[in-house]
Amino acid sequence: MAGSPLPRERGLMELYAEDPIRADALVFGRRTGPSRRGFLAGSGLAAMTAALGLPIPFARHMSAGLVPVALAAAPSGTVIARKEGLVVLGDRPLNAETPPHLLDDPVTPTERHFIRNHGITPEKTDPEGWTLVIDGEVERPLTLSIAELRRQFEVVSYALQLECAGNGRAFFDPPAEGNQWTFGAVGCARWTGVRLADVLKAAGLKPSAVYTAHYGADLHLSGDPKKVTLSRGVPIAKALNPYTLIAFEMNGAPIHPENGAPLRLVVPGWAGSCSQKWLTRIWVRDREHDGPGMTGTSYRVPRYPVAPGEQVPPEDFVVVEAMPVKSLVTHPAHDSQVPVGRPFEVRGHAWAGDLEVTRVDVSFDFGASWQQAQLDPPVNPYAWQNWRIHLQLPQKGYYEIWARATDSRGRSQPFRVPLWNPKGYLNNAMHRIAVRATA
Ligand SMILES: Nc1nc2c(c(=O)[nH]1)N[C@H]1C(S)=C(S)[C@@H](COP(=O)(O)O)O[C@H]1N2
Ligand SMILES: [Mo]
């Protein structure tokens, strides 16, 4: 069943870059249902091997439909001030992700932290004159300067993982509209600030307080100053979590303008949209917040599994909260060369929303066998966990390294995009990188 002949006019590599579904069908045969899928063999295997320029020692484990990650289109780079190596997905609003191999540091340098904007970055982001209002279901509404926040509350500093709910959206099929994030809308910087809990306690939460509503100073894309770009909130319990911060420093320096200077929320482990940047107001509400970013299908997913492409009634959507267990391979870089027959280090990070990661397993034979990596505990709750393992590849050829993390409730990462949803949230499919073992 494998392989109708390849079109003469184009190589497999080009075809994968342009039309991966057609390329896949040519190599693996038509996709007519799981029962009709086989394994890579015959002319398909020959074409794939030719395209990669190397043998595939574990080709027998490559199930039909597995597109070698080496054949994915290469991203192109653009420069942003005081950011380095980020891949820009769009510049109005500015959205940029970090290639996984640039996320290798245990704590993400500011230069390499992704940027996810819905509106226009405020022109003025210096701390002088900035105020934060706390109002709504509180006994004493407060207006605080950044100096007052520093003076009146305990200042704490933690490494905190922040991931966009749409990270991995690019792999949805049928595709989901929006920024086509691949792997790099995630980071773990060291954030310094005060606990949101302490500030809410100072304002005195009324018994009616159930949810927060966050507002920032970024301008709506339309330019209309009355329009709100994004306003999410969290249930009071998450707002009172001691690792939910109102932050004024990132990695020991003022926050980068695109990451929310001079003041932002960091709600670690939850959809990044909860972590309001350029923070000006927290309105405490007596019901679930309904600002832009919390209604319809935005940051919301069907409450039950649905078939890809299925229409789901609006009332069956629930708002995304904690992010699922996930991991990244940050070294070696995707598509790099590694030695044959000699051990080399593979490493990365893993995180699991509100939970901890209990193990990370790694495969280099398309998932046929797995080895357990050495996994560090988080440096503090809600920091991502660093892992490493030494692998040794048996012979020259093309390999993929797959990583799979498991959380403290025993949940692990799937191979394919799980739980299809129309906006492409919560993709925690395992990360695959290509390596070429050469002498
Ligand atoms: N004011 C404001 N805050 C915001 C956003 C925004 O567009 N405006 N984007 C949110 C989203 S969706 C994410 S994933 C995180 C990203 O934070 P970062 O840009 O610092 O990486 O910021 C959140 N906070
Ligand atoms: Mo996001």
Side-chain angles (χ1 to χ4, degrees), residues 345-406:
E345 190 176 66
V346 175
R347 56 177 185 263
H349 317 291
W351 60 96
D354 285 317
L355 305 176
E356 266 192 34
V357 176
T358 52
R359 61 184 290 160
V360 170
D361 297 275
V362 176
S363 174
F364 58 77
D365 56 8
F366 303 107
S369 67
W370 295 86
Q371 297 178 45
Q372 190 172 353
Q374 184 199 352
L375 175 68
D376 296 339
V379 289
N380 52 252
Y382 292 101
W384 65 18
Q385 294 168 245
N386 305 307
W387 59 264
R388 65 205 66 76
I389 188 169
H390 283 88
L391 297 182
Q392 194 170 319
L393 303 178
Q395 65 187 78
K396 190 178 159 184
Y398 174 83
Y399 296 81
E400 291 186 8
I401 297 174
W402 297 2
R404 183 181 75 188
T406 305

Side-chain angles (χ1 to χ4, degrees), residues 113-114 116 118 164 218 230 259 264 272 275-277 299:
H113 197 284
F114 78 102
R116 200 295 182 234
H118 289 74
C164 183
D218 44 339
L230 168 81
N259 297 116
R264 77 171 299 170
S275 295
Q276 197 81 29
K277 303 194 280 188
Y299 295 103

Side-chain angles (χ1 to χ4, degrees), residues 312-326:
V312 182
E315 63 273 18
D316 288 350
F317 281 79
V318 288
V319 70
V320 173
E321 296 189 333
M323 295 296 290
V325 61
K326 203 163 168 181

Side-chain angles (χ1 to χ4, degrees), residues 42-57:
S43 61
L45 176 57
M48 190 90 87
T49 304
L52 291 166
L54 281 171
I56 311 174

Side-chain angles (χ1 to χ4, degrees), residues 140 142 153 197-204:
R140 295 169 293 280
L142 301 174
F153 302 95
D198 294 347
V199 176
L200 292 178
K201 280 174 201 155

Side-chain angles (χ1 to χ4, degrees), residues 1-2 21 43 73 87 93 95 97 110 147 169 189-190 215 225 250 276 292 298-299 306-307 310 348 351 357 364 391:
M1 69 164 287
I21 292 169
S43 61
V87 176
N95 282 289
E97 69 171 321
T110 302
R169 175 180 292 137
R190 177 162 288 277
Y215 293 88
M250 181 180 191
Q276 197 81 29
S298 83
Y299 295 103
V306 302
E310 191 179 321
W351 60 96
V357 176
F364 58 77
L391 297 182

